[in-house]
Amino acid sequence: MGCFHSKSARQFPAQENTANLAAETAFTVSEVEALFELFRSISSSVVDDGLISKEEFQLAIFKNKKKDNLFANRIFDLFDVKKKGVIDFEDFVRSLNVFHPNASLEDKIAFSFRLYDLHNTGFIERPEVKQMLIALLFESDMKLADDVIETILDKTFVEADLNQDGKIDTEEWETFVKKNPSLLKIMTLPYLRDITTSFPSFIFNSNVDEI
Amino acid sequence: KPVSMNAFELISRSQSFNLENLFEK
């Protein structure tokens, strides 16, 4: 009250927005409201403007360590649905929806494909996979000789690149992940089932009557 | 052993993909 910033940064989403998001995702209205508590905490960690910046996203993933990281950047870019350089609440809910245990396998496969298609070419290409492998080795302080990395890439592309054109298309990716379901483990966050228990304070800010 | 895994098995082990961190207060 009395603060001209309070509307955008702090106000709970309008009832109809919450209801729409719940209708179009796997979340209930209460869960969308609980997600708003999480969103509010992340989006106010650096600047309390009701939007998640890349810096705030990285802080949330890596806690206190400031880290510029290929994978975190990629996830941020995919969450930034409207390509505004920030994540708004709607982007946040719709993106997390793919990670819901009840989200469809097709959505999880499609999102994971886009995650690895670093340059948005519509294909997962060998240089992209090599770039990600090198980033992973750097991040985890693991060292592998270049010929070992090439061997891993050879093996992966023999298995995944069925028409052997040097890149993995969406159909090849679908076949590959169905044969290797563990690859989709990162696409499900069991935590999302219990979001209202984790952020019970949503009850005090709720716009809906029947919780 | 890393060599016995495919590239995506390795990449998906990146800590940065662990979005559960988002929920830790």
Side-chain angles (χ1 to χ4, degrees):
Chain A
M1 271 213 342
C3 170
F4 66 91
H5 280 311
S6 64
K7 190 167 187 224
S8 62
R10 297 182 187 282
Q11 201 177 53
F12 224 62
Q15 189 171 345
E16 63 270 24
N17 292 351
T18 314
N20 282 347
L21 281 170
E24 292 166 16
T25 63
F27 299 112
T28 63
V29 169
S30 298
E31 286 168 342
V32 172
E33 292 186 336
L35 279 176
F36 187 69
E37 298 293 318
L38 170 64
F39 178 83
R40 188 154 56 178
S41 126
I42 299 173
S43 67
S44 62
S45 63
V46 179
V47 180
D48 192 1
D49 58 356
L51 298 163
I52 299 177
S53 65
K54 191 171 275 188
E55 189 186 355
E56 288 168 330
F57 191 72
Q58 285 170 348
L59 266 177
I61 289 190
F62 301 117
K63 298 303 150 199
N64 294 323
K65 286 171 269 169
K66 199 175 174 188
K67 229 167 154 185
D68 197 28
N69 175 286
L70 174 76
F71 303 111
N73 285 344
R74 186 66 190 144
I75 294 173
F76 179 88
D77 288 343
L78 294 181
F79 271 54
D80 174 15
V81 179
K82 303 180 192 83
K83 302 297 168 212
K84 294 189 297 189
V86 284
I87 300 170
D88 64 24
F89 182 57
E90 189 188 339
D91 293 340
F92 188 70
V93 175
R94 291 190 190 281
S95 301
L96 278 180
N97 181 46
V98 180
F99 292 83
H100 194 285
N102 295 347
S104 76
L105 184 63
E106 284 66 34
D107 285 351
K108 290 176 191 289
I109 292 173
F111 194 98
S112 65
F113 182 86
R114 292 171 60 219
L115 192 60
Y116 296 128
D117 175 16
L118 285 185
H119 303 129
N120 304 311
T121 57
F123 299 97
I124 303 173
E125 294 171 68
R126 187 168 167 136
E128 291 171 325
V129 184
K130 185 167 183 176
Q131 189 185 348
M132 288 186 276
L133 263 183
I134 290 170
L136 170 82
L137 294 173
F138 180 76
E139 176 187 291
S140 52
D141 282 329
M142 235 165 40
K143 286 187 175 61
L144 288 180
D146 193 61
D147 62 329
V148 177
I149 295 176
E150 290 296 333
T151 305
I152 294 170
L153 288 169
D154 286 343
K155 179 180 175 296
T156 305
F157 275 75
V158 164
E159 227 184 299
D161 177 19
L162 298 176
N163 66 4
Q164 292 295 295
D165 64 352
K167 52 195 186 185
I168 300 165
D169 61 33
T170 50
E171 280 178 28
E172 289 169 335
W173 180 249
E174 187 177 342
T175 308
F176 185 64
V177 291
K178 283 185 172 165
K179 265 195 264 169
N180 299 274
S182 67
L183 292 181
L184 287 181
K185 209 173 155 226
I186 57 166
M187 290 305 308
T188 294
L189 294 168
Y191 210 100
L192 289 172
R193 268 198 212 287
D194 306 315
I195 194 78
T196 52
T197 330
S198 308
F199 295 91
S201 56
F202 80 92
I203 289 172
F204 304 113
N205 300 314
S206 180
N207 279 328
V208 290
D209 300 328
E210 63 290 324
I211 292 170
Chain B
K1 286 261 175 79
V3 192
S4 64
M5 293 183 198
N6 72 56
F8 297 105
E9 278 173 301
L10 280 168
I11 293 165
S12 65
R13 294 184 171 215
S14 166
Q15 277 198 329
S16 331
F17 283 148
N18 190 359
L19 290 185
E20 300 227 329
N21 281 350
L22 288 177
F23 305 100
E24 276 174 29
K25 289 181 232 176

